[in-house]
């Protein structure tokens, strides 16, 4: 990771040391939340005067507040608009208040970042859009996006990569040819449907890449096997399969469903059809389906039309277990540093303007 010297210097003008400024940069960009042990892990400090001075600065300057959660512990929220503004990152949503599930996800994400500072991260939306569109030539319309409705006097806003999960270039295998690596952060119990929804959102982009890696980050290995099966089913197999064969299967199953021939469909057929409906959305596929179902488009013609979309490249799936992700416990245990960093309420809160 390369820190932006200008951003770090800007944070230091608010009264923070170099280590403190770098840590606050990581928190602001990647999580918005942290627990004291994460600062100790990053700085190499021990619990005591140094860590106490740091959190005292944060609270006295109104840059962060400590929140306690019943039976789960507490966490610092870096909410100050001033601090984000000094880095020219006021548009980041990390300064806003969030749900407990969101906070757990961000703490897990930050633990991963702290244990893997050697990667080249694409940190912000403009960086990610520029990399895929300008460097790799991917059409902007294929990026994972979400539309946010504007107010009564503003237009809707289309944002990309809104999940903000780590997205980085991995140079470990080949320094000259880094592998684009996407990720999904899953604290606690995450349903297969939610993970599948995330993969569907990224599929149009993934189809444009020759090679990429996908990293499933979690604080428990309980769902690693299910997550890989989901990835293989929704991403790897479709990308490596002959798309015309997949499309013909989709047309046949959809036709049986449309004709209410439910008895001819197995449970696996119905599940596959549900997933394929997401994959084959769009006017082109709709037009082909209606032409095929009416007899205008033959199977041979369909195979010829989609011949250029034959499989290529590789889609690698990996898992990463990060263990030190719980909210800090009450009392002094909150300041205990993580023993394995690589494994990888409210006081009066007033946002300064």
């Amino acid at each position: 990771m390369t820190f932006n010297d200008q951003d770090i210097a800007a944070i230091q003008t608010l009264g923070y040391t170099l280590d403190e400024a770098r840590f606050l940069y990581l928190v602001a960009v990647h999580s918005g939340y942290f627990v004291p042990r994460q600062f100790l892990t990053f700085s190499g400090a021990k619990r005591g005067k140094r860590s106490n001075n740091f959190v005292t600065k944060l609270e006295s300057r109104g840059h962060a507040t400590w929140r306690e959660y019943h039976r789960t512990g507490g966490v610092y929220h870096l909410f100050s608009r001033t601090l984000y503004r000094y880095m020219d990152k006021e548009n980041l949503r990390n300064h806003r208040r969030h749900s407990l599930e969101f906070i757990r996800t961000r703490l897990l994400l930050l633990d991963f970042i702290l244990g893997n500072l050697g990667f080249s991260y694409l940190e912000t939306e403009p960086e990610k859009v520029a990399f895929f569109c300008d460097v790799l030539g991917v059409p902007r319309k294929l990026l994972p996006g979400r539309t946010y409705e504007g107010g009564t006097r503003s237009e809707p806003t289309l944002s990309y990569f809104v999940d903000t999960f780590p997205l980085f270039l991995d140079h470990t295998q080949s320094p000259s040819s880094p592998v684009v690596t996407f990720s999904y952060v899953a604290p606690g119990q995450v349903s297969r449907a939610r993970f599948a929804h995330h993969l569907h959102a990224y599929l149009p982009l993934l189809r444009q890449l020759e090679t990429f890696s996908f990293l499933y980050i979690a604080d428990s290995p309980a769902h690693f096997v299910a997550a890989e099966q989901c990835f293989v089913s929704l991403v790897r197999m479709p990308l490596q399969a002959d798309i015309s064969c997949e499309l013909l299967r989709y047309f046949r199953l959809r036709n049986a469903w449309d004709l209410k021939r439910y008895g001819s469909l197995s449970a696996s057929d119905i599940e596959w059809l549900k997933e394929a409906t997401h994959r084959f959305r769009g006017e082109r596929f709709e037009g082909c389906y209606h032409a095929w179902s009416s007899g205008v488009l033959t199977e041979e013609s369909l195979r010829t039309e989609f011949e250029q979309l034959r499989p290529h490249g590789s889609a690698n799936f990996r898992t990463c277990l990060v263990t030190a992700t719980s909210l800090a416990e009450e009392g002094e245990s909150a300041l205990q540093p993580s023993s394995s960093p690589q494994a990888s309420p409210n006081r009066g809160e007033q946002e300064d303007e």
Side-chain angles (χ1 to χ4, degrees), residues 101 104-106 108-110 112 121 128 146 162-168 181-202 206 213-220 223-224 226-228 230-231 234-235 316-322:
E101 180 183 8
R104 289 185 181 281
T105 301
R106 296 298 131 177
L108 174 57
L109 190 160
L110 183 59
F112 173 81
Y121 292 91
K128 296 171 185 177
R146 180 184 301 173
V162 296
D163 55 83
T164 67
F165 291 149
L167 202 170
F168 55 90
T181 304
F182 302 87
S183 70
Y184 183 83
V185 182
Q189 301 292 324
V190 176
S191 68
R192 183 181 188 277
R194 184 179 298 183
F195 182 47
H197 178 76
H198 179 82
L199 294 177
H200 282 306
Y202 274 78
L206 300 181
S213 185
F214 194 98
L215 188 62
Y216 187 89
I217 304 167
D219 54 4
S220 166
H223 299 288
F224 281 176
E228 182 170 12
C230 183
F231 179 84
L234 298 184
V235 179
N316 181 42
F317 180 87
R318 294 180 292 131
T319 58
C320 177
L321 177 63
V322 181

Side-chain angles (χ1 to χ4, degrees), residues 263-306:
S264 65
L265 301 173
S266 65
S268 61
D269 285 336
I270 295 174
E271 183 65 24
W272 190 91
L273 176 60
K274 184 187 302 183
E275 295 173 348
T277 300
H278 287 277
R279 288 177 52 204
F280 298 119
R281 288 183 296 182
E283 294 181 3
R284 184 183 184 188
F285 294 123
E286 280 298 304
C288 287
Y289 171 71
H290 291 297
W292 173 85
S293 60
S294 63
V296 174
L297 180 65
T298 65
E299 293 188 2
E300 181 179 355
S301 297
L302 186 144
R303 291 182 186 278
T304 301
E305 180 174 351
F306 288 92

Side-chain angles (χ1 to χ4, degrees), residues 10 15 18 24 41 73 88 111 113 141 146-147 159 186 198 209-210 229 235 240 245 251 261 340 349 353:
L18 178 59
L24 290 176
T41 297
D88 195 26
D111 271 327
I113 296 290
K141 65 180 181 180
R146 180 184 301 173
T147 300
S159 297
H198 179 82
L209 306 179
E210 289 286 341
Q229 291 173 344
V235 179
Q240 295 179 348
C245 292
F251 285 175
R261 296 173 181 169
S340 57
E349 178 176 335
E353 292 295 333

Side-chain angles (χ1 to χ4, degrees), residues 6-28:
Q6 184 175 348
D7 289 341
I8 300 303
I11 299 174
Q12 285 185 276
T13 64
L14 295 173
Y16 296 101
T17 67
L18 178 59
D19 277 350
E20 292 169 348
R22 287 180 171 177
F23 179 74
L24 290 176
Y25 177 88
L26 294 177
V27 174

